[in-house]
Amino acid sequence: MKITDAQVFVGGPGKNYVTLKVMTDQGIYGLGDATLNNHETLPAAYLRDYLVPNLVGMDPRNSEDIWQLFYRGAYFRRGPVAMAAYGAIDMALWDIKGKLAGMPLYQLFGGKSRDGAMVYAHAAGSDLDALMDSVASYVEQGFKAVRVQCGIPGMPSAGYAVPKDDVGTTPYITDFSGIRPSVEGWDTGRYMRYMPGALAEIRARFGPDLKILHDVHHRLLPREAAELAKAVEPVGLFWLEDPTPAEDQDALKLLRQHSTVPIAIGEVFNSIWDCNKLIENELIDFIRVAVTYAGGITHVKRIVDLAAMHHVRTGFHGAPSHSPLSMAAQAHLNAWAPNFGIQEYLVLGTPACDALFPSEHRMENGMMYVSDAPGLGVDFDETEAERYTYSPGSHPIVRLEDGTVWNY
Ligand code: GCO
Ligand code: MG
């Protein structure tokens, strides 16, 4: 069996999805996602210029060897751009393998460990009252877990993932449009003084059963993170996410010495070498990598297995920048992984997105149910794809009151 060609498409409804389609001499094709949010053209160019010309002629069934060949062969290893490109190839090859076997991918991993995978939604509000309304709307829809972010009184701008104005119960997504980043302000003191009380009020209003998550988005120093973690302990959070910048694998030691609050980290990691110490030293409780830019199924499965040996559960990244293809790859891993924790999921399944990526994966009452179709179980409509073009975007940047650049 041989790969005959592969094409890269960039575009989608409101997002620049990077979709790879790998064709074979047996008529079977595989699909993969290389969407690197706000840097989409980079993995697309790596695929088109270097990887696809080498892929043609290879046997798609040898997904492990192909992964090793591109990873080791690049010499300059890792990084989100390269790992997103290898990840898309890897997903497409697993998709082909599943179609050849006539099985959904979770069967190739070892079968189902659960019927459905719990997901969490994103609640947000310009202030605490608006956030409470947003949480209530997700609870009414049947969600068992909700991430909560709200505006901080006196903060120079809204704060991470917080709408400037009250958006009611509409899902809120940060606007990343335009090549020049918008600038947001940040005040650690105000955040630290306000957030523990706000989280406690949410717990008091919604009772003990709701799983409450909060994302600090890398904004605290290790000592501050330890102080916050201690302060929010009585709330009983499901997790506190990205309390410190993720580059430093030792940063969480201090927090761990002072608090038992569950910690989730890893959405910006792109290899096992970014999180091996965190996992082996049991400094975290949830690993947040994404198949999209952590080298696809082959590499993420290795991370999941290492995590399982150290009581670390999965909590894969599921921001709206992931196309339904990598969300499907994660749905198959979620169905199988013995150490599954939770899946991030945004209620954004628009008719336009469903038309571009038809699938039978479904969401019900805050649970995700994996499709039984062979392979990833997601298709790609090339005619629909013609409606979309690339439109550049950029993450906001953050500055402190004196102008110092901080972590977004
Ligand atoms: C999350 C993340 C995202 C990131 C986004 C950046 O927990 O979902 O923090 O919202 O900000 O993926 O591209
Ligand atoms: Mg996050």
Side-chain angles (χ1 to χ4, degrees), residues 13 15 17 138 171-173 318-321 345-354:
K15 282 285 159 199
Y17 296 130
Y138 286 115
Y172 171 72
I173 298 185
S321 47
Y345 177 86
L346 269 83
V347 191
L348 295 168
T350 59
C353 194
D354 293 346

Side-chain angles (χ1 to χ4, degrees), residues 120 122 147 160 215-218 239 241-242 267 288 317 344:
Y120 71 89
H122 284 195
R147 185 188 84 167
Y160 165 67
D215 192 347
V216 185
H217 224 247
H218 327 276
W239 81 30
E241 178 180 344
D242 286 339
E267 65 183 42
R288 298 262 300 130
H317 193 218
E344 181 178 23

Side-chain angles (χ1 to χ4, degrees), residues 312-336:
V312 175
R313 290 185 284 161
T314 62
F316 295 136
H317 193 218
S321 47
H322 300 286
S323 93
L325 288 163
S326 41
M327 290 303 284
Q330 294 184 170
H332 287 283
L333 288 168
N334 291 338
W336 152 77

Side-chain angles (χ1 to χ4, degrees), residues 300-313:
V300 166
K301 208 164 163 302
R302 292 211 157 97
I303 297 176
V304 173
D305 283 334
L306 177 67
M309 292 168 64
H310 295 278
H311 325 286
V312 175
R313 290 185 284 161

Side-chain angles (χ1 to χ4, degrees), residues 222 249-258 277-278 281 283:
Q249 291 197 54
D250 289 327
L252 292 170
K253 280 185 186 160
L254 189 67
L255 185 155
R256 252 343 201 202
Q257 285 158 10
H258 291 276
K277 280 165 64 184
L278 283 171
N281 295 327
L283 294 174

